[in-house]
Amino acid sequence: SPNVYMVYEDNGEIYFSSSTNNGTTWSPEIRLSEGEGNNHFPSIAINEIPNLAVTWERHDISNQRIWIIFKMYRSGLWQSTKKYYNFQSTVFNCPATPVVTSLGPTNYGAPDAHSWLFVWRNCPAHKLEYMKTNYEGDFYDYGQVPGSTGSGNASNPTIGSGIEFHLGYNKIYIAFNFWYYIRTVALIWNGSSWNWGSTHDLYYASSGKPQASADGAHFVHFSWQAGYGSYTNGTYLVHQKVNTAN
């Protein structure tokens, strides 16, 4: 498809723009946040309809809260902004960096078809949390990402696109920094419900935020910046792929 969608932060506000010709030209920007400032770290996802989901965090400095914000494009219109979840934080340099992906289409029988999965970092609690919403954006499930608690100080979550689920390979992979590792865990559809798989650590002495992407050909690809030596007296880029059909 020649359609490209982009969200970005500018001066504490979140903006959206799109292209219908592979990025040659772009539509006028649309402000998605509400003009109150202190909005950061936007993430965007698309499903097969296509609807769009955008999430970001807002720092409520006066009340010492971090809010997880969600806005959806559905039926040709941007829907009202939803504030889903907040936690107390006096350390705003420890961001939640929320991310979002689609939870799959109707033709694979998922009861939550066209819905969304969100993951973010709860820094004060030293863990990652997740939330699911239905296709209208209403919250229906919340919990803790397995393997993300404890002294490892989980951070920088990323989600492999839900495209593999769309193709019938029923796993959505999450990767995050944990201690000096890149840790991964899959959310797996077993035909009647979603369940978490086992965690796997990909590499030691990682130092950069991981990225995850599905290629539509059975694989999810992970990449990150790593260091070696006693700390990081050298850095390099690492790539590893996982066969989602296994």
Side-chain angles (χ1 to χ4, degrees), residues 109-125:
D112 43 11
H114 307 310
S115 55
W116 306 98
L117 170 69
F118 299 79
V119 177
W120 64 86
R121 178 192 194 188
N122 185 330
C123 187

Side-chain angles (χ1 to χ4, degrees), residues 70-196:
F70 172 50
K71 197 171 186 71
M72 182 168 58
Y73 184 83
R74 182 169 62 90
S75 302
L77 296 171
W78 284 104
Q79 306 299 303
S80 59
T81 301
K82 295 178 181 287
K83 294 183 177 181
Y84 274 125
Y85 182 81
N86 74 92
F87 50 87
Q88 186 170 10
S89 180
T90 59
V91 185
F92 292 103
N93 62 351
C94 187
T97 57
V99 289
V100 59
T101 194
S102 167
L103 270 178
T106 54
N107 58 319
Y108 291 112
D112 43 11
H114 307 310
S115 55
W116 306 98
L117 170 69
F118 299 79
V119 177
W120 64 86
R121 178 192 194 188
N122 185 330
C123 187
H126 303 289
K127 63 182 179 181
L128 300 185
E129 297 170 317
Y130 74 88
M131 177 182 65
K132 300 174 192 170
T133 70
N134 65 16
Y135 73 99
E136 293 181 329
D138 297 323
F139 160 88
Y140 74 90
D141 187 24
Y142 160 81
Q144 172 187 302
V145 175
S148 70
T149 60
S151 60
N153 197 22
S155 63
N156 297 321
T158 186
I159 306 179
S161 162
I163 188 173
E164 289 297 326
F165 185 85
H166 290 221
L167 295 174
Y169 301 102
N170 53 347
K171 299 175 184 177
I172 295 176
Y173 281 85
I174 298 168
F176 52 95
N177 290 98
F178 191 80
W179 197 236
Y180 291 114
Y181 295 88
I182 299 298
R183 178 161 288 181
T184 70
V185 62
L187 187 60
I188 304 169
W189 176 252
N190 67 8
S192 60
S193 63
W194 289 100
N195 297 279
W196 290 101

